[in-house]
Structures are given as structure tokens and as C-alpha cells.
Amino acid sequence: LLVSGAGGFVGARIMTQLAGRYELCAFPKGMLAAADEQTVADWVRREQPDVIVHTAALSVTGYSEKHPDESYRANVLLPCWMAAAAQKSGAKLVAFSSDQVYTGLTEHGPFDEDTPLSPANVYGRHKQEMEQRGLDILPDAVLLRAAWMYVLPGYGNFLLNLLTAARRQETLRSSARDYRGITYVREAVERLTQAMELPGGVYNFGSETDCDMVTTARRACALLDLHPVVEAADWPRSLLMDGGRLRAAAGVGFDDTMTGVQRCLRDYGLLK
């Protein structure tokens, strides 16, 4: 496996969690920030991978909004270069998209992969274009619409936010009309091994839920015996994903959101 973004949130865990099960290699640190299409093609030709796992992205939605040119290069052009390099080398491409493609939808969901899209932010629009162009280049590519992921320890993720708020006695604000599944990153890496065997196409890739984010936060706090103030804001969004296509094609799906949270807490000795 040739992994892009091997130092990032998902890529780093691929490198550790799948070590010993696959022969792993990675693009050198910092290389892809300045690489052009030929550089990517040359590196793929050098490594001759069976599978390219493309996790590298500019994934902070606010930054993408302020720097659309940077986002376009990282989130559209770079994965398209990966697809072209995979096509030339005969490698399988598994690339990460995002549940942010569902922003802008006014329905509640859950949404399947054939739902007509109209993303409301730059990042979501770029991920949608990446999917379309990537499959045009390489119809056998597997494109995974990933949900928000978390782990302990970690940075910028759901459980860390809860623990930090409780420790600092801060108020957490979530919307009672914000619906999205969140995913334990270790489970996502496990499911990646099945994703590599999928036929080409787009797949929702993450935990499902029917809960709003206020309810999810309060349930997780109860499991941890934490008592931060969780304030219910009132702004609407639904990123709920229907995982039926993945279950049908791979024969396995994700834990639901709260089951995944419980598993994570057990793994780190915070829940019996």
C-alpha cells in the first residue's frame, strides 16, 4: 500500500494499525504540498503499489473557505493526479471524500450516495468535484465519503472536545438540529481493508445515527461521568449517511455512533 497523508489523522493510523499486515510505504513528508502531476506519477511508478490509499487533504472547512485556490489544488487536483497515476500503473485507488458533500441539503436524511448534491461550502464542493473527476479518470476508484472521526488521544475531535470542556469547566455548544454520525478512526482503518476489495464507485463510509449532536454529546458525557454544560444551539444541518451500499458490497458495516464511542472508551480503559 502506498499511503498519502501518512502523517495525518487517518494516514498515521493506517501506518501503525496495518503494519505487519501489508507492505506499507508513503509519500515523503511535505512532498505533496509542492508536487506536480509528474512528480506524483514518478513516485507511483517508483513504488509500484498494488493499492494507493489517498488520505491527504486540506480538510479544515473554514480554511478552505478562505483559501479556495489552495483547497482546489489539495482536494481536487491532487486526487485527480493520484487517479491518473493509478490508471497508468495498474494500481487500485482508494481515496477519501467527505460527508461535507451533503451540506446544503434541506431534508433530514439519511442520504444515500445517489442523492442529488448541492454542497454549501467550498470544501464540500471540491470533494464532490473530486469524486466526479476521479471516476472519470479511473472508473475502478473507490471513493469513501468519510464521517467526522475521533480517537483518544487525539486533536480536534469529538471526545477530546468533551474532555477539554469538562476539565476547563467550559460550556459546549451544539445544535439540537445538527445531525451527523461520528466514527471511531480505528474502526475506519479496519473497514479500509474491506474497502480495498470494493468495486469502483462512491460509498458512504462511517457510523450511522439518528441522534442530534446535543443528544450525542450528552450521552457520551454520561458514559464518561463528565458534567460540562452542553448548551443547545439552534442551527440546522444534516449530514446523516445511509451505509446500505457499503454493507451490501462489503458484507460488513460500521458500528452505530454510540456503540463506536463505547468501543473507543473501552479500548482506552475509560469504560468497563
Side-chain angles (χ1 to χ4, degrees):
L1 310 186
L2 173 59
V3 181
S4 75
F9 186 80
V10 176
R13 286 160 180 86
I14 292 172
M15 299 301 288
T16 56
Q17 197 170 325
L18 299 186
R21 297 168 62 183
Y22 297 90
E23 183 181 346
L24 299 171
C25 56
F27 289 89
K29 184 177 181 180
M31 173 186 173
L32 294 177
D36 58 15
E37 183 172 9
Q38 189 60 52
T39 304
V40 172
D42 289 345
W43 193 265
V44 171
R45 185 168 57 250
R46 167 183 161 164
E47 295 296 335
Q48 288 295 303
D50 298 300
V51 181
I52 300 170
V53 182
H54 180 57
T55 74
L58 191 60
S59 58
V60 179
T61 56
Y63 188 91
S64 292
E65 209 70 29
K66 294 177 181 177
H67 303 87
D69 291 343
E70 288 183 50
S71 175
Y72 193 82
R73 182 196 175 280
N75 297 323
V76 180
L77 295 182
L78 183 57
C80 286
W81 299 342
M82 293 287 175
Q87 193 276 332
K88 290 177 183 176
S89 69
K92 179 87 170 186
L93 175 66
V94 179
F96 278 75
S97 183
S98 171
D99 63 359
Q100 290 291 321
V101 299
Y102 295 115
T103 60
L105 297 178
T106 57
E107 297 84 3
H108 181 269
F111 305 111
D112 65 28
E113 294 86 347
D114 296 323
T115 301
L117 302 175
S118 183
N121 57 41
V122 167
Y123 180 69
R125 289 193 291 273
H126 287 171
K127 285 296 190 179
Q128 181 188 17
E129 183 175 343
M130 177 276 285
E131 293 176 358
Q132 294 167 342
R133 292 182 60 182
L135 287 173
D136 285 344
I137 296 166
L138 186 66
D140 288 338
V142 173
L143 306 178
L144 305 175
R145 290 178 178 169
W148 188 22
M149 298 187 201
Y150 62 88
V151 74
L152 288 174
Y155 55 88
N157 68 74
F158 172 73
L159 287 181
L160 180 65
N161 293 345
L162 298 182
L163 292 165
T164 300
R167 186 177 69 250
R168 296 178 179 173
Q169 297 184 322
E170 296 174 342
T171 297
L172 277 172
R173 294 186 80 251
S174 293
S175 174
R177 294 198 292 154
D178 181 20
Y179 295 86
R180 70 186 307 188
I182 56 174
T183 303
Y184 183 23
V185 70
R186 285 192 182 181
E187 185 179 13
V189 174
E190 287 178 7
R191 297 290 168 258
L192 189 62
T193 62
Q194 284 106 26
M196 289 186 281
E197 305 299 326
L198 292 171
V202 176
Y203 297 85
N204 289 334
F205 193 72
S207 293
E208 296 169 271
T209 187
D210 58 359
C211 289
D212 63 80
M213 287 302 295
V214 171
T215 301
T216 299
R218 287 174 175 166
R219 288 179 178 177
C221 286
L223 288 172
L224 286 161
D225 195 25
L226 297 176
H227 307 283
V229 176
V230 181
E231 183 179 291
D234 187 36
W235 49 272
R237 178 179 65 174
S238 180
L239 303 180
L240 295 175
M241 297 194 296
D242 182 336
R245 178 178 291 178
L246 180 68
R247 285 191 295 274
V252 65
F254 280 80
D255 290 338
D256 64 77
T257 288
M258 287 312 302
T259 301
V261 169
Q262 292 170 344
R263 178 182 169 189
C264 177
L265 297 179
R266 290 191 185 98
D267 285 349
Y268 287 93
L270 298 176
L271 188 68
K272 293 183 180 180

